[in-house]
Amino acid sequence: MNDLSNEYQTAVTKVQQCRREIGKAIIGQREIVEQVLLAILCDGNVLLESVPGLGKTELAKTISHVLKLSFSRIQFTPDLMPSDITGTTMIVKKDGENHFSFEKGPIFANLVLADEINRATPKTQAALLEAMQEKTVTSTHTTYQLPLPFMVLATQNPIESEGTYPLPEAQLDRFIFKLLVPFPNKKELKDIVNLTLSFQDDLTKPTTILSAEDIFDIRSLIMELPVSDIVMDYAMQLVLNTHPELPNAPEITRNYVTLGASPRGAQAIIRTAKARAMLEHRFNVSFDDIDYVALPALRHRISLNFEAIQDELSADDILIKLIQVTHDSINI
């Protein structure tokens, strides 16, 4: 047990160092940084939503540096083709004969930034599905393994923005978290301006803390964390409460939700709650851990009806009420 405790302590210390190093380049956004790290440690993809200019690209580049991951950025545009992402098979001449050769696309990196993903057509967005789920790319009947660890960090503008295409449910479900990046407050805005417009020496630049091997080791430790039956039941009931078709669905779900969260939502909650428990120096998952990850894990996995839009209710509004309903049902 002492050896296991030492491993956990070492892992927690390294992740805390990562947070501090990322904070050298990213002002504020502490919760966003922590939740992106949780997703990486749980082998998940993340969708970041905000207006342009809030440092999402800088966040991805900084994380890839601190975690020693290869980085690739893909700018999604309406004319982007699937082969521009995955790569293409070309005819090359070798020893006087023609041969087929696969030229890898920018998807072949540890951390891929899919920038403004909802500006590309649904056909191009779908090119990411296999990569996000299977960590592979298939071209002309040949399957290629992506470098591991592999993660897609996608950004999107609010759906109301001009020139955007809504992401299909199948793709949204492959993101372990959807994070809403807030606008910085006055102090943070001042610090951002001072940081970006001043000279930076080596002491103020982020340094590399983790490696791919470290990430795999931490993932193994996270998987070993136990979840009690009552906490597991609470998480499962929360997911079930998002389904309006079930006979005991809460009234708010029946009134405002058309599609509930999938089993991937339940998996996302438990996986990320385990990671959060570890980072909080605990050896078991608590109700607070479930509540902490519930919004980012479920907000993109439920679909609201017209009545919710008419009453100006967001997915977060619905989920916050469902968390309270679920609390009450098991007498927490």
Side-chain angles (χ1 to χ4, degrees):
M1 183 66 180
N2 287 335
D3 291 340
L4 187 59
S5 299
N6 291 336
E7 288 185 58
Y8 272 93
Q9 184 57 50
T10 300
V12 171
T13 300
K14 286 185 176 181
V15 176
Q16 289 175 338
Q17 290 175 335
C18 288
R19 286 191 283 197
R20 286 194 294 270
E21 292 301 315
I22 295 170
K24 291 180 179 180
I26 305 299
I27 303 299
Q29 313 293 8
R30 180 180 177 85
E31 188 168 304
I32 296 295
V33 170
E34 177 167 330
Q35 291 174 343
V36 172
L37 286 175
L38 288 180
I40 293 175
L41 297 179
C42 294
D43 193 19
N45 308 291
V46 173
L47 179 63
L48 296 171
E49 180 176 291
S50 76
V51 296
L54 295 190
K56 300 184 292 294
T57 301
E58 186 62 28
L59 172 64
K61 291 169 62 177
T62 302
I63 288 177
S64 68
H65 175 70
V66 173
L67 273 58
K68 201 177 181 180
L69 301 174
S70 60
F71 174 75
S72 178
R73 178 180 180 274
I74 307 172
Q75 180 63 55
F76 279 65
T77 56
D79 60 346
L80 189 74
M81 299 298 293
S83 60
D84 296 328
I85 299 172
T86 59
T88 186
T89 300
M90 305 177 65
I91 299 177
V92 297
K93 188 174 290 291
K94 183 179 180 181
D95 299 329
E97 297 182 357
N98 291 332
H99 298 272
F100 289 105
S101 175
F102 179 69
E103 295 294 325
K104 294 180 178 179
I107 195 71
F108 285 85
N110 295 123
L111 179 56
V112 176
L113 175 63
D115 207 7
E116 296 186 301
I117 188 174
N118 60 335
R119 291 203 179 279
T121 61
K123 179 181 180 180
T124 300
Q125 292 174 10
L128 288 175
L129 291 178
E130 179 187 353
M132 292 171 66
Q133 184 66 29
E134 308 297 335
K135 319 296 186 188
T136 58
V137 166
T138 301
S139 177
T140 58
H141 309 295
T142 302
T143 299
Y144 302 90
Q145 178 66 55
L146 291 168
L148 299 177
F150 174 80
M151 174 191 187
V152 172
L153 184 61
T155 73
Q156 74 169 7
N157 299 313
I159 297 300
E160 296 79 11
S161 298
E162 184 177 352
T164 60
Y165 298 85
L167 298 181
E169 286 81 2
Q171 184 161 356
L172 283 172
D173 204 27
R174 283 169 169 78
F175 289 103
I176 198 168
F177 275 168
K178 177 184 176 181
L179 306 178
L180 308 179
V181 183
F183 197 83
N185 59 37
K186 183 178 180 180
K187 181 182 182 304
E188 291 171 345
L189 192 59
K190 182 179 179 181
D191 291 341
I192 290 170
V193 172
N194 287 333
L195 177 67
T196 54
L197 298 183
S198 62
F199 172 77
Q200 286 184 277
D201 56 31
D202 291 339
L203 293 178
T204 60
K205 294 180 180 179
T207 58
T208 299
I209 301 297
L210 294 181
S211 64
E213 291 74 19
D214 291 327
I215 294 173
F216 291 133
D217 289 342
I218 294 173
R219 285 177 180 175
S220 296
L221 292 173
I222 290 171
M223 291 294 291
E224 295 177 15
L225 273 175
V227 183
S228 66
D229 287 341
I230 188 171
V231 173
M232 179 70 77
D233 289 344
Y234 169 65
M236 298 305 102
Q237 188 60 53
L238 177 58
V239 173
L240 291 174
N241 281 345
T242 66
H243 284 260
E245 74 278 7
L246 297 181
N248 295 323
E251 181 180 1
I252 190 171
T253 302
R254 296 196 306 271
N255 291 341
Y256 295 117
V257 178
T258 59
L259 183 66
S262 72
R264 281 199 189 101
Q267 293 171 339
I269 288 176
I270 296 301
R271 285 162 59 192
T272 55
K274 285 186 174 187
R276 205 254 179 170
M278 190 191 78
L279 297 189
E280 293 293 316
H281 299 269
R282 283 184 278 100
F283 286 88
N284 63 293
V285 177
S286 70
F287 293 109
D288 287 341
D289 296 321
I290 301 296
D291 292 344
Y292 180 81
V293 302
L295 290 183
L298 297 180
R299 62 165 56 106
H300 55 300
R301 290 185 164 98
I302 65 172
S303 297
L304 306 185
N305 59 23
F306 179 75
E307 284 74 15
I309 299 173
Q310 188 176 39
D311 291 346
E312 299 182 344
L313 291 174
S314 67
D316 282 15
D317 295 328
I318 304 297
L319 289 170
I320 289 171
K321 293 181 183 297
L322 288 180
I323 289 172
Q324 186 58 56
V325 168
T326 311
H327 269 239
D328 296 341
S329 69
I330 61 174
N331 298 317
I332 295 178

